[in-house]
Amino acid sequence: MAVLAYSLGKREINQYFCIKNAKLLSLVAVILLTVFHTVSRYYGGGDTCEWLLSSGRFLGENVWQPYGCMMHKYKSIEAKTCLAEKRVAFIGDSRIRQLFYSYIQIIDPTQKENGRKHENIPFEDRSSSVNDFLWYAEVNNSLKERLMSWTEVKASTCTVLCLAKWSIKLRSGSSEALQQYRANLTAISLPLEQLAEDGEVYWVLQDPVHEEVLSGNRKMITNEQLDLYNEAALGTLNSNKKNAKARVRFLGASRQAAMETIAQSADGLHLPENTRNVGAMILMNAVCNKVLRPIHGSCCQALPAPSLLQKLTACVFLGSTLVFLVHWKSRPTPPDVESGEEKPATAASPLSHKAPFQAMCKMGLIMAYFYLCDRADVFMKEQKFYTHSTFFIPLVYMFVLGIFYSENSKETKLLNREQTDEWKGWMQLVILIYHISGASAFIPVYMHVRVLVAAYLFQTGYGHFSFFWLKGDFGLYRVCQVLFRLNFLVIVLCLVMDRPYQFYYFVPLVTFWFVIIYATMAMWPQILQKKANGSGMWHIGILVKLLGLLLFICFFAYSQGLFENIFSVWPVSKLFELNGSIHEWWFRWKLDRFAIIHGMLFAFVYLLLQKYQVLSEGKGESLFSTRISNILLLISVVSFMTYSIWASSCKNKTECNEMHPYISGLQILAFILIRNIPGYARSLYSSFFAWFGKISLELFICQYHIWLAADTKGILVLIPGNPSLNIIISTFIFVCVAHEISLITNDLAQVAIPKDGAALLKRLLAAGVFTLGLLLMSKSAEGNQGEGH
């Protein structure tokens, strides 16, 4: 009964939930969410600076997440660069003094509080601006005169103020003191607004106190009183509505953070260090994000104008859409069904002419969504924060679903197509969870995911070697099909998202290794299985080729200077540089340099064993004899456990990455043996994982911009205020988009890569001219930027 219920349950799910219906739902969701965010952003006061300054939440003890945008963690050199020509003044009492010290410690981490109280404290760093703390316990005429004197000097200043505590303390929280405080605020509001015209003015709202531990002479400073004084500041400042630009900004986010941590205060008044640091970093983001434009800091950052290439790409998609609409309107009239007239077979031919334009139209709409998610100021973004639960709980859910959708395999050969799709699928899902949870911060998880990336490259070597060895198809058509399939989406994203090719590092890596495999197998003498069957000496020949490839890899791995010189030559450098350097390409290439040759060697040995019928690949049969199978399974399990123990003991990523190329192949081999030696294991596969495996490339690339955000540094927020629901909705849309792009790529590949050799050469010539034009335009744009700086 349980098996019957299990089968009926899957059938019921599949009946009502198909990919076509899912895509329609995702389209509706995208439209509704885009409208909602656009309306709330432009009509609901959706300014990222206001989000940064007004609210947020703690993700962890020292990690503050502003509402709807990402906060950059500034380092000393960045702070000095930003503040080189800006003066920052902190005005207030002991609380502002603490904020002042937290702020200058970002500039110079060696700075410590010196115990000076009730006096001004200057701080000057040779590499940055002048920063001062000015002791003003109350809002009075002396403060007004100081502010008036600053308005006469037109300079880029940033003024941070917070005053109220002493007014409450000295006058025991009387109502007259509050009225006088409001009057004094009115008196300084005009000079503050004048300062805001040429600089920035921030009024820090009063943080709460822990009333139970306040000393006797501070008992009158209650949270009720502080709220009244905050209301007075909010109601009095910015009273001049005529000049909207000259506004005093209110910093309330640090107060919200303090409400969660004030119980940790030693005296009930002054904040814990981590909360003060939050306030200081919020101020640094508010002041510097618009200047330095860090990718991690989306708060207070204006959008860059679209580049020329982005505009041209938009025109191409728009033109394809117009052509498709013209074809759609002029489609032939359907035949009269009642008259019995049948549609001739050739009548379907007009559809083939509009098919590529339809595909480009769909691609244009999808790319518009990409742009809205990660380049336009529409959707929100949040930073990642790793906890074990955010990684391992989704992992458990994922594998439960994978087991639920287990099916009988059509064939039981080692690494059959269903099994490799399953392998790609679960690996890709693990990598997605790894990326969105920020699990790279946890070294054991990082090292295991490194093995998964190596396993992808292993499959590349295994699959392409097997194809060339068995079929011997070295034709240009096959090569172009593979290259188009790998690179189409990435090239489009490079144009739409204004990113270099190497930014999507995995595709350049796989493309490079495919070319190397092709060159190794296609070069003289071409050794195929048919030729090797006639003479065993050809097996030695293929081993010599693999040895030559190994020596080639080792030569470049230990010759970094030569490697950099080769890949730094224009125009090759445009494919492999990231931020003007090929360091990232060197790191990625070297990290998994042996994975491809491991896959090729495994394919050769497996096909050789298969030829001589050493393996038992029948349904339900163990791959080897019982004794050998048990020994290999034991060795594989021990290998897995040993690797996990070693990965858990890694002190840093650098040391572990040095060992990774030499030991990752053993873990991949161990997995293959465990998965394939038992006959019952080869007879089953997960259709759930296999489905994702068929679109694994699109999933890997699409995550950069429509699931993650800020070029993978953050998380896209479609549903604000509900992280769990947001992940569900964004993941649903993301998967549907990836699947549709996979279909579009396959459709366009049939049009872009014709089987006719002459037509294909013309297409390649046109693609070469197009690529050269892009490279020249890119080089020209870089030259203009350099002159501008």
Side-chain angles (χ1 to χ4, degrees), residues 36 49 58 89 104 190 233 308 363 436 563-564 621 705 784:
F36 166 76
C49 266
F58 274 111
I104 64 174
L190 180 59
L308 176 60
M363 196 68 179
I436 202 165
F563 184 94
E564 291 180 350
E621 296 179 357
H705 302 296
N784 293 335

Side-chain angles (χ1 to χ4, degrees), residues 320 324 351 353-364 744:
S320 300
F324 168 69
L351 295 176
H353 293 302
K354 74 175 183 180
F357 296 106
Q358 182 180 11
M360 287 294 289
C361 176
K362 290 180 181 179
M363 196 68 179
I744 291 171

Side-chain angles (χ1 to χ4, degrees), residues 473-481 518 753 757 760-761 764:
D473 182 3
F474 297 101
L476 191 60
Y477 174 75
R478 157 75 180 176
V479 174
C480 292
Q481 280 278 334
Y518 176 80
I753 314 296
L760 179 56
L761 287 174
L764 289 177

Side-chain angles (χ1 to χ4, degrees), residues 104-373:
I104 64 174
Q105 282 169 2
I106 300 174
I107 304 170
D108 182 3
T110 62
Q111 288 291 320
K112 304 294 180 184
E113 293 193 41
N114 56 17
R116 296 166 63 181
K117 298 181 179 179
H118 301 185
E119 60 179 287
N120 299 341
I121 304 174
F123 167 77
E124 184 172 1
D125 185 275
R126 295 179 181 178
S127 304
S128 67
S129 61
V130 178
N131 301 272
D132 299 293
F133 166 71
L134 303 178
W135 172 262
Y136 281 94
E138 294 187 273
V139 182
N140 52 30
N141 286 331
S142 177
L143 173 61
K144 179 182 176 181
E145 291 174 3
R146 169 80 69 158
L147 296 175
M148 291 294 292
S149 67
W150 287 352
T151 60
E152 299 172 2
V153 181
K154 299 294 182 181
S156 179
T157 61
C158 175
T159 310
V160 182
L161 305 96
C162 180
L163 305 95
K165 182 187 70 178
W166 280 73
S167 297
I168 300 172
K169 179 180 176 180
L170 294 177
R171 295 167 181 79
S172 300
S174 64
S175 58
E176 292 79 6
L178 179 60
Q179 294 297 327
Q180 184 62 45
Y181 179 76
R182 187 177 284 108
N184 291 340
L185 285 177
T186 303
I188 67 168
S189 62
L190 180 59
L192 286 179
E193 291 174 12
Q194 290 174 339
L195 287 173
E197 290 181 2
D198 299 307
E200 298 165 75
V201 177
Y202 298 91
W203 187 276
V204 183
L205 297 180
Q206 289 289 330
D207 298 321
V209 294
H210 192 202
E211 297 179 11
E212 289 79 0
V213 297
L214 287 174
S215 59
N217 62 342
R218 293 173 175 168
K219 287 293 184 180
M220 70 291 296
I221 307 175
T222 64
N223 288 320
E224 182 182 359
Q225 282 289 320
L226 292 173
D227 288 341
L228 291 173
Y229 276 72
N230 283 332
E231 290 174 7
L234 290 167
T236 304
L237 301 177
N238 295 330
S239 57
N240 183 10
K241 305 295 183 180
K242 296 181 180 179
N243 192 351
K245 292 183 178 180
R247 293 179 61 251
V248 176
R249 291 185 175 271
F250 294 100
L251 176 55
S254 59
R255 179 176 184 272
Q256 188 175 349
M259 292 175 69
E260 299 184 34
T261 60
I262 191 62
Q264 303 170 18
S265 172
D267 59 5
L269 180 68
H270 298 100
L271 301 178
E273 183 179 2
N274 64 328
T275 311
R276 302 198 304 266
N277 292 341
V278 166
M281 196 60 72
I282 289 172
L283 281 172
M284 191 66 75
N285 274 258
V287 174
C288 293
N289 280 5
K290 63 178 73 70
V291 178
L292 299 185
R293 305 178 65 85
I295 193 64
H296 294 76
S298 64
C299 304
C300 293
Q301 192 173 148
L303 293 173
S307 66
L308 176 60
L309 284 177
Q310 287 175 301
K311 293 177 181 177
L312 292 176
T313 305
C315 290
V316 170
F317 282 123
L318 183 60
S320 300
T321 303
L322 293 175
V323 172
F324 168 69
L325 292 175
V326 170
H327 275 281
W328 180 74
K329 288 183 178 180
S330 62
R331 67 184 187 274
T333 305
D336 186 359
V337 179
E338 293 183 1
S339 65
E341 180 185 353
E342 293 186 2
K343 193 174 183 179
T346 56
S349 57
L351 295 176
S352 63
H353 293 302
K354 74 175 183 180
F357 296 106
Q358 182 180 11
M360 287 294 289
C361 176
K362 290 180 181 179
M363 196 68 179
L365 292 174
I366 291 172
M367 287 301 107
Y369 178 62
F370 272 73
Y371 191 89
L372 289 176
C373 287

Side-chain angles (χ1 to χ4, degrees), residues 414-476:
L414 182 144
L415 289 183
N416 58 70
R417 181 58 183 268
E418 291 168 333
Q419 190 184 131
T420 53
D421 283 341
E422 173 201 85
W423 190 7
K424 290 178 183 177
W426 70 257
M427 287 196 305
Q428 185 56 64
L429 293 178
V430 171
I431 291 173
L432 290 175
I433 296 171
Y434 164 83
H435 281 157
I436 202 165
S437 63
S440 61
F442 186 46
I443 293 180
V445 173
Y446 168 82
M447 292 311 301
H448 283 82
V449 170
R450 292 261 55 85
V451 174
L452 300 187
V453 175
Y456 267 105
L457 295 174
F458 176 94
Q459 285 197 51
T460 298
Y462 172 83
H464 291 304
F465 178 92
S466 300
F467 178 86
F468 291 131
W469 175 255
L470 296 174
K471 297 189 177 182
D473 182 3
F474 297 101
L476 191 60

